[in-house]
Amino acid sequence: VFGVLERDDWLKSATFQALDPDEQAQIEEDVTELLLVQSLDTLADAGQMGGYRANMSVLSNFTKIPPQHQRTHAVQMLMSKVNSSPGPTRAPAAPPGDWDVFDVYLTGVLEAKEKRDETARLYFKAAAERCKETDRPLKFWAHFQLADCAYRLRSQGTRSSEAVDRLLEEAVREYSACIVLRSEFAWSYHNLGLVYRAQGKLGEAAKQFEEAIVRDAKLSTAYSNLAAVQVEQELFDEAEQTCTQ
């Protein structure tokens, strides 16, 4: 993905053209999401780099987005922010039923980046539901992003303990679904460990951090969180050993 972005005409490159249609479609979705996130980060930092430079950078990104994805609602909302055009700059309160599943997912990404997690959660939930009977990689990421939203929301605003518990249980379900879909992805185990720790289930949390380390021995945050849990369990020797790793 990063390699193709080195050239504006990456869609015409021999490397891309040699891929089968399913691989091409996946790369196109990956590139679009990457450029959307990169553009939103650029606009968020516009004060440091200057509004004009930020807008020009986003416009340059737009030209690299595949034509069919330039028409997605998420990309159109992004361009409305840049061009100060009368188009919408935020998503409808609920995902429209006639939107393409990638458009729904991408809108969830935009809403999450804009720190509107309540709306993002609805879009990721809809994307996960619409991908239920498919094997698209998007299915995994919809569940992962939904879990992230639920975990973040539990500490936002004023919520009852019951509401917090429901959000944490949702995060457990969604991260567990991610582990079923992609058992080698360390971050699913790591983040599930964070949820268990928030629930006070320290033994389960430690187990998930250990599973994350098995899959990615260089995931330093898994070591630090495992050590923190071990300290809470008063397993000080184990915590010291974890830290030395």
Side-chain angles (χ1 to χ4, degrees), residues 22 26 29 128 130-141 180-182:
D22 288 342
Q26 184 57 51
E29 289 184 358
R130 296 180 195 185
C131 284
K132 185 186 296 184
E133 303 302 326
T134 75
D135 293 323
R136 294 177 63 178
L138 181 63
K139 180 179 180 179
F140 169 85
W141 289 111
V180 171
L181 290 168
R182 282 181 59 181

PDB file of all heavy atoms in Angstrom, residues 22 26 29 128 130-141 180-182:
ATOM      1  N   ASP A  22      -9.802  -9.496  -7.102  1.00  0.00           N
ATOM      2  CA  ASP A  22     -10.076  -9.418  -5.661  1.00  0.00           C
ATOM      3  C   ASP A  22      -8.947  -8.702  -4.926  1.00  0.00           C
ATOM      4  O   ASP A  22      -9.191  -7.892  -4.013  1.00  0.00           O
ATOM      5  CB  ASP A  22     -10.270 -10.815  -5.072  1.00  0.00           C
ATOM      6  CG  ASP A  22     -11.594 -11.441  -5.486  1.00  0.00           C
ATOM      7  OD1 ASP A  22     -12.494 -10.688  -5.932  1.00  0.00           O
ATOM      8  OD2 ASP A  22     -11.726 -12.676  -5.375  1.00  0.00           O
ATOM      9  N   GLN A  26      -9.088  -5.088  -2.893  1.00  0.00           N
ATOM     10  CA  GLN A  26      -8.640  -4.927  -1.504  1.00  0.00           C
ATOM     11  C   GLN A  26      -7.617  -3.806  -1.378  1.00  0.00           C
ATOM     12  O   GLN A  26      -7.674  -2.990  -0.449  1.00  0.00           O
ATOM     13  CB  GLN A  26      -8.061  -6.248  -0.983  1.00  0.00           C
ATOM     14  CG  GLN A  26      -7.656  -6.192   0.488  1.00  0.00           C
ATOM     15  CD  GLN A  26      -8.806  -5.785   1.370  1.00  0.00           C
ATOM     16  OE1 GLN A  26      -9.894  -6.352   1.291  1.00  0.00           O
ATOM     17  NE2 GLN A  26      -8.584  -4.792   2.224  1.00  0.00           N
ATOM     18  N   GLU A  29      -9.306  -0.443  -1.527  1.00  0.00           N
ATOM     19  CA  GLU A  29      -9.950  -0.082  -0.267  1.00  0.00           C
ATOM     20  C   GLU A  29      -8.910   0.337   0.775  1.00  0.00           C
ATOM     21  O   GLU A  29      -9.100   1.316   1.505  1.00  0.00           O
ATOM     22  CB  GLU A  29     -10.796  -1.247   0.248  1.00  0.00           C
ATOM     23  CG  GLU A  29     -12.048  -1.507  -0.575  1.00  0.00           C
ATOM     24  CD  GLU A  29     -12.927  -2.603  -0.008  1.00  0.00           C
ATOM     25  OE1 GLU A  29     -12.541  -3.204   1.023  1.00  0.00           O
ATOM     26  OE2 GLU A  29     -14.006  -2.858  -0.570  1.00  0.00           O
ATOM     27  N   ALA A 128     -20.164  -4.459  10.043  1.00  0.00           N
ATOM     28  CA  ALA A 128     -19.916  -5.838  10.479  1.00  0.00           C
ATOM     29  C   ALA A 128     -21.112  -6.730  10.152  1.00  0.00           C
ATOM     30  O   ALA A 128     -20.946  -7.872   9.706  1.00  0.00           O
ATOM     31  CB  ALA A 128     -19.622  -5.861  11.975  1.00  0.00           C
ATOM     32  N   ARG A 130     -23.336  -6.286   7.741  1.00  0.00           N
ATOM     33  CA  ARG A 130     -23.477  -6.469   6.288  1.00  0.00           C
ATOM     34  C   ARG A 130     -22.385  -7.368   5.709  1.00  0.00           C
ATOM     35  O   ARG A 130     -22.513  -7.882   4.604  1.00  0.00           O
ATOM     36  CB  ARG A 130     -23.477  -5.106   5.600  1.00  0.00           C
ATOM     37  CG  ARG A 130     -24.672  -4.247   5.999  1.00  0.00           C
ATOM     38  CD  ARG A 130     -24.682  -2.889   5.312  1.00  0.00           C
ATOM     39  NE  ARG A 130     -25.604  -1.975   5.969  1.00  0.00           N
ATOM     40  CZ  ARG A 130     -25.899  -0.757   5.529  1.00  0.00           C
ATOM     41  NH1 ARG A 130     -25.341  -0.302   4.406  1.00  0.00           N
ATOM     42  NH2 ARG A 130     -26.735   0.012   6.197  1.00  0.00           N
ATOM     43  N   CYS A 131     -21.275  -7.527   6.449  1.00  0.00           N
ATOM     44  CA  CYS A 131     -20.180  -8.412   6.003  1.00  0.00           C
ATOM     45  C   CYS A 131     -20.315  -9.821   6.556  1.00  0.00           C
ATOM     46  O   CYS A 131     -19.459 -10.670   6.302  1.00  0.00           O
ATOM     47  CB  CYS A 131     -18.831  -7.843   6.453  1.00  0.00           C
ATOM     48  SG  CYS A 131     -18.241  -6.445   5.501  1.00  0.00           S
ATOM     49  N   LYS A 132     -21.375 -10.075   7.313  1.00  0.00           N
ATOM     50  CA  LYS A 132     -21.489 -11.319   8.083  1.00  0.00           C
ATOM     51  C   LYS A 132     -21.287 -12.568   7.233  1.00  0.00           C
ATOM     52  O   LYS A 132     -20.614 -13.520   7.641  1.00  0.00           O
ATOM     53  CB  LYS A 132     -22.854 -11.377   8.763  1.00  0.00           C
ATOM     54  CG  LYS A 132     -23.027 -12.579   9.696  1.00  0.00           C
ATOM     55  CD  LYS A 132     -24.446 -12.666  10.241  1.00  0.00           C
ATOM     56  CE  LYS A 132     -24.782 -11.485  11.101  1.00  0.00           C
ATOM     57  NZ  LYS A 132     -26.135 -11.614  11.709  1.00  0.00           N
ATOM     58  N   GLU A 133     -21.836 -12.573   6.042  1.00  0.00           N
ATOM     59  CA  GLU A 133     -21.796 -13.776   5.203  1.00  0.00           C
ATOM     60  C   GLU A 133     -20.660 -13.750   4.188  1.00  0.00           C
ATOM     61  O   GLU A 133     -20.673 -14.513   3.229  1.00  0.00           O
ATOM     62  CB  GLU A 133     -23.134 -13.940   4.477  1.00  0.00           C
ATOM     63  CG  GLU A 133     -24.351 -14.000   5.399  1.00  0.00           C
ATOM     64  CD  GLU A 133     -24.263 -15.139   6.407  1.00  0.00           C
ATOM     65  OE1 GLU A 133     -23.706 -16.199   6.058  1.00  0.00           O
ATOM     66  OE2 GLU A 133     -24.737 -14.950   7.542  1.00  0.00           O
ATOM     67  N   THR A 134     -19.668 -12.883   4.383  1.00  0.00           N
ATOM     68  CA  THR A 134     -18.559 -12.776   3.432  1.00  0.00           C
ATOM     69  C   THR A 134     -17.244 -13.117   4.103  1.00  0.00           C
ATOM     70  O   THR A 134     -17.169 -13.262   5.331  1.00  0.00           O
ATOM     71  CB  THR A 134     -18.464 -11.343   2.862  1.00  0.00           C
ATOM     72  OG1 THR A 134     -17.908 -10.467   3.864  1.00  0.00           O
ATOM     73  CG2 THR A 134     -19.825 -10.821   2.444  1.00  0.00           C
ATOM     74  N   ASP A 135     -16.194 -13.223   3.298  1.00  0.00           N
ATOM     75  CA  ASP A 135     -14.843 -13.441   3.811  1.00  0.00           C
ATOM     76  C   ASP A 135     -13.956 -12.229   3.552  1.00  0.00           C
ATOM     77  O   ASP A 135     -12.729 -12.328   3.567  1.00  0.00           O
ATOM     78  CB  ASP A 135     -14.211 -14.675   3.156  1.00  0.00           C
ATOM     79  CG  ASP A 135     -14.911 -15.965   3.568  1.00  0.00           C
ATOM     80  OD1 ASP A 135     -15.326 -16.050   4.739  1.00  0.00           O
ATOM     81  OD2 ASP A 135     -15.042 -16.866   2.724  1.00  0.00           O
ATOM     82  N   ARG A 136     -14.564 -11.081   3.312  1.00  0.00           N
ATOM     83  CA  ARG A 136     -13.776  -9.880   3.014  1.00  0.00           C
ATOM     84  C   ARG A 136     -12.949  -9.463   4.220  1.00  0.00           C
ATOM     85  O   ARG A 136     -13.412  -9.536   5.366  1.00  0.00           O
ATOM     86  CB  ARG A 136     -14.706  -8.729   2.627  1.00  0.00           C
ATOM     87  CG  ARG A 136     -15.458  -8.931   1.341  1.00  0.00           C
ATOM     88  CD  ARG A 136     -16.406  -7.789   1.075  1.00  0.00           C
ATOM     89  NE  ARG A 136     -15.722  -6.514   0.894  1.00  0.00           N
ATOM     90  CZ  ARG A 136     -16.346  -5.384   0.606  1.00  0.00           C
ATOM     91  NH1 ARG A 136     -17.666  -5.379   0.460  1.00  0.00           N
ATOM     92  NH2 ARG A 136     -15.672  -4.262   0.461  1.00  0.00           N
ATOM     93  N   PRO A 137     -11.708  -9.011   4.013  1.00  0.00           N
ATOM     94  CA  PRO A 137     -10.906  -8.489   5.128  1.00  0.00           C
ATOM     95  C   PRO A 137     -11.619  -7.366   5.874  1.00  0.00           C
ATOM     96  O   PRO A 137     -11.393  -7.173   7.075  1.00  0.00           O
ATOM     97  CB  PRO A 137      -9.642  -7.974   4.427  1.00  0.00           C
ATOM     98  CG  PRO A 137      -9.534  -8.809   3.194  1.00  0.00           C
ATOM     99  CD  PRO A 137     -10.953  -9.044   2.752  1.00  0.00           C
ATOM    100  N   LEU A 138     -12.490  -6.636   5.177  1.00  0.00           N
ATOM    101  CA  LEU A 138     -13.251  -5.566   5.805  1.00  0.00           C
ATOM    102  C   LEU A 138     -14.054  -6.085   6.997  1.00  0.00           C
ATOM    103  O   LEU A 138     -14.293  -5.355   7.969  1.00  0.00           O
ATOM    104  CB  LEU A 138     -14.189  -4.940   4.765  1.00  0.00           C
ATOM    105  CG  LEU A 138     -15.068  -3.771   5.218  1.00  0.00           C
ATOM    106  CD1 LEU A 138     -14.193  -2.599   5.621  1.00  0.00           C
ATOM    107  CD2 LEU A 138     -16.017  -3.360   4.102  1.00  0.00           C
ATOM    108  N   LYS A 139     -14.467  -7.350   6.945  1.00  0.00           N
ATOM    109  CA  LYS A 139     -15.236  -7.943   8.033  1.00  0.00           C
ATOM    110  C   LYS A 139     -14.445  -7.890   9.340  1.00  0.00           C
ATOM    111  O   LYS A 139     -14.986  -7.508  10.395  1.00  0.00           O
ATOM    112  CB  LYS A 139     -15.579  -9.392   7.674  1.00  0.00           C
ATOM    113  CG  LYS A 139     -16.386 -10.151   8.714  1.00  0.00           C
ATOM    114  CD  LYS A 139     -16.669 -11.554   8.190  1.00  0.00           C
ATOM    115  CE  LYS A 139     -17.468 -12.377   9.174  1.00  0.00           C
ATOM    116  NZ  LYS A 139     -17.766 -13.738   8.652  1.00  0.00           N
ATOM    117  N   PHE A 140     -13.178  -8.257   9.280  1.00  0.00           N
ATOM    118  CA  PHE A 140     -12.331  -8.212  10.474  1.00  0.00           C
ATOM    119  C   PHE A 140     -12.221  -6.792  11.011  1.00  0.00           C
ATOM    120  O   PHE A 140     -12.401  -6.540  12.205  1.00  0.00           O
ATOM    121  CB  PHE A 140     -10.935  -8.761  10.155  1.00  0.00           C
ATOM    122  CG  PHE A 140      -9.936  -8.511  11.249  1.00  0.00           C
ATOM    123  CD1 PHE A 140      -9.828  -9.382  12.316  1.00  0.00           C
ATOM    124  CD2 PHE A 140      -9.111  -7.388  11.223  1.00  0.00           C
ATOM    125  CE1 PHE A 140      -8.910  -9.145  13.338  1.00  0.00           C
ATOM    126  CE2 PHE A 140      -8.201  -7.143  12.233  1.00  0.00           C
ATOM    127  CZ  PHE A 140      -8.099  -8.026  13.292  1.00  0.00           C
ATOM    128  N   TRP A 141     -11.922  -5.844  10.117  1.00  0.00           N
ATOM    129  CA  TRP A 141     -11.674  -4.477  10.574  1.00  0.00           C
ATOM    130  C   TRP A 141     -12.933  -3.816  11.108  1.00  0.00           C
ATOM    131  O   TRP A 141     -12.861  -2.964  12.013  1.00  0.00           O
ATOM    132  CB  TRP A 141     -11.038  -3.663   9.451  1.00  0.00           C
ATOM    133  CG  TRP A 141      -9.628  -4.099   9.201  1.00  0.00           C
ATOM    134  CD1 TRP A 141      -9.152  -4.749   8.104  1.00  0.00           C
ATOM    135  CD2 TRP A 141      -8.527  -3.967  10.107  1.00  0.00           C
ATOM    136  NE1 TRP A 141      -7.814  -5.023   8.267  1.00  0.00           N
ATOM    137  CE2 TRP A 141      -7.402  -4.565   9.479  1.00  0.00           C
ATOM    138  CE3 TRP A 141      -8.382  -3.424  11.375  1.00  0.00           C
ATOM    139  CZ2 TRP A 141      -6.154  -4.609  10.085  1.00  0.00           C
ATOM    140  CZ3 TRP A 141      -7.134  -3.470  11.990  1.00  0.00           C
ATOM    141  CH2 TRP A 141      -6.041  -4.062  11.344  1.00  0.00           C
ATOM    142  N   VAL A 180     -11.159 -14.954  16.291  1.00  0.00           N
ATOM    143  CA  VAL A 180     -11.652 -16.069  15.472  1.00  0.00           C
ATOM    144  C   VAL A 180     -11.328 -15.827  14.003  1.00  0.00           C
ATOM    145  O   VAL A 180     -10.906 -16.741  13.283  1.00  0.00           O
ATOM    146  CB  VAL A 180     -13.171 -16.242  15.669  1.00  0.00           C
ATOM    147  CG1 VAL A 180     -13.724 -17.253  14.659  1.00  0.00           C
ATOM    148  CG2 VAL A 180     -13.478 -16.700  17.085  1.00  0.00           C
ATOM    149  N   LEU A 181     -11.470 -14.583  13.563  1.00  0.00           N
ATOM    150  CA  LEU A 181     -11.257 -14.266  12.151  1.00  0.00           C
ATOM    151  C   LEU A 181      -9.780 -14.233  11.778  1.00  0.00           C
ATOM    152  O   LEU A 181      -9.408 -14.641  10.676  1.00  0.00           O
ATOM    153  CB  LEU A 181     -11.894 -12.904  11.832  1.00  0.00           C
ATOM    154  CG  LEU A 181     -13.425 -12.873  11.837  1.00  0.00           C
ATOM    155  CD1 LEU A 181     -13.919 -11.432  11.794  1.00  0.00           C
ATOM    156  CD2 LEU A 181     -13.986 -13.659  10.660  1.00  0.00           C
ATOM    157  N   ARG A 182      -8.935 -13.720  12.688  1.00  0.00           N
ATOM    158  CA  ARG A 182      -7.492 -13.616  12.397  1.00  0.00           C
ATOM    159  C   ARG A 182      -6.722 -13.919  13.673  1.00  0.00           C
ATOM    160  O   ARG A 182      -6.379 -13.024  14.436  1.00  0.00           O
ATOM    161  CB  ARG A 182      -7.137 -12.215  11.889  1.00  0.00           C
ATOM    162  CG  ARG A 182      -7.497 -11.962  10.449  1.00  0.00           C
ATOM    163  CD  ARG A 182      -7.109 -10.574   9.972  1.00  0.00           C
ATOM    164  NE  ARG A 182      -5.683 -10.305  10.096  1.00  0.00           N
ATOM    165  CZ  ARG A 182      -5.117  -9.144   9.762  1.00  0.00           C
ATOM    166  NH1 ARG A 182      -5.848  -8.149   9.287  1.00  0.00           N
ATOM    167  NH2 ARG A 182      -3.822  -8.964   9.903  1.00  0.00           N
TER     168      ARG A 182
END
